[in-house]
Amino acid sequence: MSVKRTRLIALCSGLLAVAGAVAVMPSASAGTTLRAAAAEKGRYFGTAVATSRLSDSAYASIINREFSSLVAENDMKWDATEPQQGRFSFTNGDRLVSHAQANGMTVRGHALLWHAQQPSWAQGLSGSALRSAAINHVTQVAAHFRGKIHSWDVVNEAFADGGGGGRRDSNLQRTGNDWIEAAFRAARAADPGAKLCYNDYNTDGVNAKSTGIYTMVRDFKSRGVPIDCVGFQSHLGTGIASDYQRNLQRFADLGVDVQITELDVAQGSNQANIYATVTRACIAVSRCNGITVWGVRDSDSWRRDENPLLFDSNGNKKQAYTAVLNELNAGGPSSPPPSPSPSTSTSSNPQPGGGCTATVSLNSWTGGFVATVKVTAGSAPVNGWTVTVSLPSGSAVTSAWSATNTGTTGSVAFRNVSYNGGIAAAGSTEFGFQGTGNGPAATPVCQAG
Ligand code: G3I
C-alpha cells in the first residue's frame, strides 16, 4: 500500500496547484450536512465503511448524519464474498445494506473483479477455469444484491500505471482481453437495475492511463457492451491535476455517468482546497452522480498517517469538511443531473405545491426495461409517499425494489416501504422496477402522505 501511496503523491506533486478559494458563502437554503447539501444538487455523498466498525456509536452517528450512500471498504470484495470456490459469504455485505436501508441511504457495490484481494483459490486458477469462476462470481454476487446496489464497480484497476495506457498484467487479463466486457455482460444480466462502472486510480486528469480507459469506454459504447459509469478513485496527494474537471467531462461526453469513488487527500495546507476543487468539478459536470470519500475519520483511513479524510480522529469536522459543504451549497439548489444509463430517457413532473415530485430514468432494451425512480420531497419533510406511473398497453411490471406496487399493468401505484417513507425537506430517495414491454412514457405523479 505504501508503495502505491508514494507513487500517487509523487504523480500529483508535479501537477499544478489548486486554483480557487475555499470560502464560499452558503446560500439561504444551505444544507447543514453533506448528504442534505449534496441532495439539493441532485447528488449523493457517500463514504466507505468497515462493517465491523458500525458497532462504534461515534462512527455510526457520523455516518448516519452525513452520508447518503455507503460502500463496503472490503466486505464485498472477492476474498470476502467467496472465500471458498462456490461457497458465498454475504453476512457483512448484508449488514451494510441493512444499515444503509434502515437509515435512508443507498449502496455502491465494490468490487466484483479485481486483480487484488482475490481468495487464494482464485489466485491458483488460470485460463478457462479462472474465466468461468470469475464470471460465476460476478453473477452470484450481483444477483444476491440485485435491486439493492445503485452502482457496481464491476471491474477495478485493470489498467497499468505508466506511459503506455494499456492493460495491467494479471491472472484475469491472461484469460483474454475480453474479460472486462464478459464481466459487464454478466453483471447486467444478474442485476439489470444497477449502473455498471469501471473504476480506477491515477486517472485524475487527461493522462495515458485515463486515455486508455477512455478508449475502452468509447469502444464499449460503440459495440453495445453494457457500461454505464466510470469511477474516479481520486486518492490524491498535495496537488490535483488542473484538468480534473475536463477529464470527467470528456468521459461524460461519451454517454456514461461519472462518479468520484474513493476520495481522500493528503493533509497539508492544500487539503481543503483540493477537496473543494473535486466537489466543484462534480457539481459542474451534470453526469457526475456523486462523491464517495474513502473512510470517515482520519483514524479509519488506509492512509491514516496522512490524515486524509473530512473528520479528525475524534470525529470533529475538519476545514476540508467545511470546504466541501460550502461547495455543495454554493449557488443554491439545482435540478438533478440527467440520468445514468445507456438508452435512458428521463421525465419529471413539476412540483404541484408541497408534497413530492418523482423523476423516472429508463434503461430499455427490446422487450423490457428497468425504471429507476427518484422521489424528492418539496420544501417540507414527507412522511410516506405513493408514486403512480402509467404503463403503455402491453407492458407489465415484473418486480419492484424499495417500493411495493399495486397492480402490474396500466396505472401502477408504488408505495414506499418501511425504511424509505420519511424524506427530509428537499431530500430524496430511490426505488425501481423492472418490466416487460416498454417503460412509462408519461410523467409520474407523486403524492405525499
Ligand atoms: O481483516 C484482516 C485482519 O483479520 C488481519 O488481522 C489483518 C492483518 O493484516 O488484516 C486485515 O485485513 C486487511 C483489510 O484491509 C481490513 O483491514 C488487509 O490486510 C488489508 O490488505 C486491507 O487493505 C485494504 C486494501 O484495499 C487492500 O488492497 C484497505 O482496507 C482498503 O481501504 C483498500 O481499498 C482499496 C480499494 O478497494 C481499491 N482502490 C484502492 C483502495 C486503497 O488501496
Side-chain angles (χ1 to χ4, degrees), residues 1 4-5 8 48 50 53 72-74 77 79 110-111 114 116-117 153 156-157 199-201 233 235 262 264 294 300-304:
M1 281 193 300
K4 186 157 131 187
R5 279 207 306 266
L8 283 167
R53 248 174 249 153
E73 185 173 0
N74 289 297
K77 291 173 180 173
D79 60 349
H110 174 84
W114 186 21
Q117 279 181 286
D153 290 333
N156 192 42
E157 301 178 6
N199 189 50
D200 217 324
Y201 68 94
Q233 293 185 9
H235 294 294
E262 303 182 14
D264 52 17
W294 205 242
D300 301 315
S301 172
W302 71 297
R303 301 166 68 183
R304 76 191 61 181

Side-chain angles (χ1 to χ4, degrees), residues 210-234:
S210 64
T211 299
I213 296 163
Y214 177 88
T215 305
M216 178 188 75
V217 173
R218 189 175 55 192
D219 171 54
F220 280 11
K221 294 296 286 181
S222 74
R223 292 190 294 113
V225 177
I227 185 166
D228 305 316
C229 39
V230 175
F232 297 81
Q233 293 185 9
S234 307

Side-chain angles (χ1 to χ4, degrees), residues 392-411:
S393 158
S395 300
V397 174
T398 52
S399 64
W401 50 95
S402 302
T404 50
N405 53 307
T406 304
T408 56
T409 58
S411 179

